[in-house]
Amino acid sequence: MAPAFTTGGEVRNRPQDELKRILQKRIMVLDGGMGTMIQQYKLGEDDFRGDEFKDHPKLLKGNNDLLSITQSDIICKIHKEYLLAGADIVETNTFSSTRVAQADYGLQHLAYRLNRISAELARQVADDVGAQTGIKRFVAGAIGPTNKTLSVSPSVERPDYRNITFDELVEAYAEQARGLLDGGVDILLLETIFDTANAKAALFAIQQLFLEEYESRHIFVSGTIVDKSGRTLSGQTAEAFVISVSHAEPLGIGLNCALGAVEMRPFIEAIGKCTPAYVLCYPNAGLPNSFGGYDETPGITSKHLKEFAMDGLVNIVGGCCGTTPAHIRAIAEAVQKCRPRIPPHPHVFEDFLLLSGLEPFRIGPYTNFVNIGERCNVAGSRMFAKLIMAGDYEEALNIAKIQVNKGAQILDINMDDGMLDGKSAMIRFCNLVSTEPDIAKVPVCIDSSRFSVIEAGLRCCQGKCLVNSISLKEGEEDFLEKARIIKQFGAAVVIMAFDEKGQATDIESKVAVCTRAYYLLVNKVKFNPSDIIFDPNILTIGTGMEEHDLHAVNFIKATSILKEMKELDIYSIHFQSLSHLQLSILDATLSLLSYLNLAFLSLYVHWSIAWSQSKWRSFKSVLLISWNGGNPRGHTQRIPLPCYKGGDGYGNCECRKTACL
């Protein structure tokens, strides 16, 4: 007998395994538009109010979710029509049932109740139709995007301003998910996602509920591409969107709304190529006409989706705005004999480190050196520090833009300074970055020695970030807790070779600390090995002090040993190779001879690593030189490695060879 779980006071068999079995055998059908059907009833203000809300001070017409309470017969009838038309999965009437969205109607206090009642209605109808037809039907709890966004400011004059916080959205989504789960849904469906940061807040809330209160259910995630540019409203491409939400391991990922099937096709194809999840697609009935209506007939919509199915693009199909039970019946008949898409295994990017800003960034076995722009670092750039201290964030933003324009593939942001409120500064700057597409297209590295600042930065980014860094310095319990939070945010992480005894300096300790951290992350946190980056610590070199003589050599040898250890999933692990190469320069003003010394030394270390590594190209590396001589504030200054063919050191050169990049 299959394991059972309790929901809504009833014990039922788990549907998870059954849902997976069906998806492996055939294409499943989702229902169509709820709003489209409600409009056909031409309900007035009194209909929306019912008896319970007849004296409510605000207008309630248009609050379709409220009809689950005031006109439950209509909602049940719509569910039944879709199920009898051939839908395998019916969505709850809860698209706007968060306290955030319901606040427009003054009904935020009803959020939990709306979700639970709507889920119970859909559950009852699905079970009744399932018993009537002998075919199992599933209920998906619909979770909409809310009417607020974390990535876009509502004020043109204040691009860093947000009218809601990540934590407020997490709280609202958690309340909604509780109601849906208590009402008996089989699936949680995040849909019409126009801002991935909002979706990440919802996923954060759901994962927390599964961790603490509820048995896990399957998650579907559906984004919305707003036009033929192939981007969401907040600017992400379909591929970047997939990377940003894949940490939650959704059973299905796809698109809905805004576009018809024809316009949606290239983006569905793109998603299918970059995810091992099942692909769902439920488009509008074409594009809206001049009156806001939809003219695409059931025959046309079903024809397009049948073509998707015949070409092996989809696993779940349905309809969104403008679709009716007639559309769903035609779609179900059209795909009935089509084979479902087979998710790629192994996935083409399975062993890649996947990051994203507005665009995807992939680091794989044949990726060369990765350039991280570190000028947005108050500890590494005196100019940036002065601008941040003076509150000139717009000019500080130009430093970020220049770095990206010059070839930075990841943007490092660090606000660690004793004279600065690091959390506030991180939030403000990250919010500004998200409003500049030329900067936000690359992933962000949230860099801080204070974990509260790291969390603040992660709350502001819709893409998949990199965290720099955590270590075993404070012990295993602290390390594991931080790793779990980072995983829940969907970020990759840099692990410093540092444990309770201090910084690892010799080869043996570097290898031991990194190996221990790896097993803790993979076995206890279930961290994706591809999201782990080791920094085995080069430490200070070139000082003339005898105790520093072996620092660079120890780093090279430790890295070589780690990469050759068969017990580690080493093809999925990356290394931060030359992160901070510390050089002691006596004179604060670098002479030409000093620059030449730096150049030769950097090339020597560069070629030494190439010589020592048979798998040279699988390094995840940042080649930056820093020096600290003559700096009264003790800040580390950084310059890029020179290119021997006259490039600018950021990879913008003609040769683009290993020794240059």
Side-chain angles (χ1 to χ4, degrees):
M1 181 177 176
F5 65 96
T6 302
T7 175
E10 177 186 10
V11 177
R12 298 185 292 110
N13 288 330
R14 287 164 45 108
Q16 285 92 325
D17 295 336
E18 188 173 358
L19 182 62
K20 275 188 172 181
R21 282 196 298 270
I22 295 172
L23 284 168
Q24 290 168 359
K25 293 179 180 178
R26 65 178 177 86
I27 294 173
M28 296 188 74
V29 179
L30 190 66
D31 64 1
M34 174 61 75
T36 304
M37 295 299 292
I38 289 174
Q39 288 174 10
Q40 295 181 8
Y41 285 87
K42 302 186 185 304
L43 302 175
E45 178 68 25
D46 290 341
D47 298 310
F48 278 87
R49 287 177 176 273
D51 292 333
E52 183 175 348
F53 303 100
K54 62 182 180 180
D55 296 324
H56 190 72
K58 289 191 174 184
L59 294 175
L60 297 179
K61 184 178 180 180
N63 187 359
N64 289 345
D65 296 20
L66 185 61
L67 297 176
S68 294
I69 295 175
T70 60
Q71 301 291 337
S72 59
D73 290 346
I74 291 176
I75 301 304
C76 287
K77 185 178 180 181
I78 293 171
H79 286 326
K80 189 172 184 178
E81 287 185 60
Y82 276 124
L83 290 168
L84 291 176
D88 297 293
I89 305 169
V90 64
E91 292 186 50
T92 57
N93 180 37
T94 54
F95 184 81
S96 299
S97 292
T98 57
R99 62 171 48 248
V100 176
Q102 286 297 315
D104 287 352
Y105 299 99
L107 296 176
Q108 56 268 35
H109 60 285
L110 288 181
Y112 173 83
R113 181 183 168 199
L114 282 172
N115 285 281
R116 178 158 185 165
I117 288 177
S118 294
E120 289 172 345
L121 292 176
R123 175 82 274 156
Q124 185 62 54
V125 176
D127 289 347
D128 289 346
V129 173
Q132 177 184 337
T133 61
I135 300 172
K136 170 70 178 176
R137 307 304 172 107
F138 299 87
V139 177
I143 299 176
T146 80
N147 51 0
K148 297 186 178 181
T149 170
L150 287 171
S151 297
V152 182
S153 172
S155 171
V156 176
E157 294 78 17
R158 296 175 57 195
D160 61 316
Y161 170 70
R162 300 292 184 271
N163 57 5
I164 196 165
T165 67
F166 184 91
D167 289 343
E168 288 170 342
L169 275 177
V170 168
E171 184 179 351
Y173 280 127
E175 181 180 34
Q176 180 174 31
R178 281 192 189 94
L180 293 170
L181 293 167
D182 289 344
V185 301
D186 305 306
I187 304 159
L188 290 176
L189 169 59
L190 280 64
E191 63 177 350
T192 321
I193 297 167
F194 60 81
D195 180 0
T196 313
N198 285 35
K200 288 174 71 175
L203 292 171
F204 191 98
I206 291 168
Q207 288 177 302
Q208 196 67 30
L209 289 177
F210 289 166
L211 194 65
E212 297 176 351
E213 301 179 39
Y214 294 87
E215 186 171 354
S216 297
R217 308 289 200 280
H218 287 308
I219 299 172
F220 288 173
V221 179
S222 181
T224 295
I225 300 297
V226 294
D227 55 37
K228 293 183 179 181
S229 69
R231 295 179 182 267
T232 63
L233 186 65
S234 58
Q236 275 200 317
T237 66
E239 295 93 332
F241 165 72
V242 170
I243 291 172
S244 301
V245 300
S246 290
H247 63 282
E249 299 180 357
L251 183 66
I253 298 180
L255 299 173
N256 75 289
C257 207
L259 303 176
V262 173
E263 297 80 17
M264 194 178 283
R265 176 168 179 138
F267 314 123
I268 288 292
E269 289 179 348
I271 286 175
K273 291 175 182 177
C274 64
T275 180
Y278 294 105
V279 172
L280 59 149
C281 172
Y282 50 119
N284 290 346
L287 297 175
N289 58 33
S290 56
F291 300 102
Y294 296 88
D295 301 323
E296 195 170 272
T297 64
I300 295 174
T301 302
S302 61
K303 174 178 175 292
H304 293 320
L305 288 178
K306 183 177 182 179
E307 291 173 359
F308 286 27
M310 293 293 289
D311 292 339
L313 301 180
V314 291
N315 301 100
I316 304 164
V317 292
C320 199
C321 301
T323 59
T324 65
H327 287 81
I328 298 307
R329 181 175 290 105
I331 291 169
E333 292 172 355
V335 303
Q336 185 176 13
K337 296 182 180 180
C338 297
R339 293 184 177 182
R341 165 186 169 271
I342 301 175
H345 183 79
H347 187 243
V348 64
F349 299 121
E350 188 171 9
D351 292 334
F352 283 58
L353 168 59
L354 303 177
L355 302 173
S356 63
L358 298 183
E359 298 170 6
F361 183 56
R362 305 178 179 100
I363 302 173
Y366 298 100
T367 303
N368 215 317
F369 285 107
V370 174
N371 302 309
I372 296 185
E374 289 210 46
R375 294 294 184 184
C376 295
N377 185 330
V378 295
S381 170
R382 185 177 295 180
M383 179 183 294
F384 184 77
K386 286 182 178 179
L387 291 171
I388 294 297
M389 294 295 183
D392 192 353
Y393 280 75
E394 279 69 25
E395 189 59 36
L397 203 61
N398 285 332
I399 294 177
K401 186 177 293 186
I402 290 169
Q403 289 182 103
V404 176
N405 289 341
K406 285 192 174 184
Q409 295 155 291
I410 300 173
L411 184 68
D412 181 271
I413 302 175
N414 182 297
M415 297 292 178
D416 285 0
D417 190 286
M419 302 298 292
L420 190 65
D421 181 350
K423 286 179 64 175
S424 298
M426 180 66 77
I427 292 169
R428 185 176 179 187
F429 192 75
C430 286
N431 283 345
L432 286 169
V433 165
S434 71
T435 63
E436 291 286 342
D438 290 341
I439 305 171
K441 66 182 181 181
V442 303
V444 169
C445 175
I446 305 298
D447 182 0
S448 180
S449 59
R450 288 178 285 172
F451 196 70
S452 60
V453 176
I454 288 175
E455 288 184 278
L458 291 173
R459 286 178 169 90
C460 300
C461 300
Q462 65 171 319
K464 180 178 177 181
C465 299
L466 174 61
V467 168
N468 186 25
S469 59
I470 61 172
S471 73
L472 286 158
K473 181 180 179 180
E474 303 298 332
E476 284 190 8
E477 187 175 343
D478 176 79
F479 176 76
L480 292 172
E481 178 61 23
K482 289 174 179 175
R484 289 189 183 100
I485 293 171
I486 291 169
K487 182 175 182 284
Q488 201 168 335
F489 276 109
V493 65
V494 175
I495 306 300
M496 294 287 290
F498 209 122
D499 66 4
E500 299 90 338
K501 298 177 183 178
Q503 198 158 223
T505 57
D506 57 55
I507 298 170
E508 292 76 13
S509 62
K510 291 177 188 289
V511 172
V513 172
C514 290
T515 304
R516 178 186 171 201
Y518 172 84
Y519 284 120
L520 287 171
L521 289 172
V522 173
N523 295 334
K524 292 196 173 183
V525 186
K526 307 304 179 186
F527 218 93
N528 184 350
S530 297
D531 289 341
I532 300 171
I533 300 172
F534 285 138
D535 186 350
N537 303 338
I538 295 179
L539 308 177
T540 309
I541 70 170
T543 64
M545 299 172 65
E546 186 176 350
E547 57 266 33
H548 296 166
D549 285 352
L550 295 178
H551 281 174
V553 174
N554 289 348
F555 164 80
I556 293 169
K557 290 184 177 180
T559 301
S560 184
I561 291 170
L562 284 165
K563 291 184 71 65
E564 291 170 3
M565 292 178 68
K566 293 182 180 179
E567 57 266 35
L568 301 186
D569 186 9
I570 211 64
Y571 290 100
S572 300
I573 302 174
H574 307 270
F575 290 84
Q576 183 160 312
S577 178
L578 299 185
S579 163
H580 298 138
L581 184 58
Q582 300 284 350
L583 301 169
S584 179
I585 306 296
L586 296 178
D587 189 356
T589 305
L590 287 179
S591 64
L592 177 60
L593 181 60
S594 298
Y595 274 114
L596 289 173
N597 286 337
L598 283 172
F600 280 117
L601 181 57
S602 65
L603 289 176
Y604 168 74
V605 176
H606 198 151
W607 288 327
S608 295
I609 296 174
W611 172 80
S612 69
Q613 282 300 317
S614 58
K615 295 183 179 68
W616 148 260
R617 282 182 173 271
S618 62
F619 267 85
K620 182 271 170 194
S621 306
V622 186
L623 285 180
L624 296 168
I625 301 176
S626 59
W627 71 93
N628 55 22
N631 188 338
R633 295 189 61 187
H635 288 329
T636 298
Q637 306 295 322
R638 294 178 174 84
I639 63 172
L641 277 174
C643 165
Y644 65 77
K645 287 195 176 180
D648 59 8
Y650 289 97
N652 298 327
C653 57
E654 293 181 2
C655 58
R656 299 193 64 79
K657 296 193 181 200
T658 298
C660 293
L661 299 180

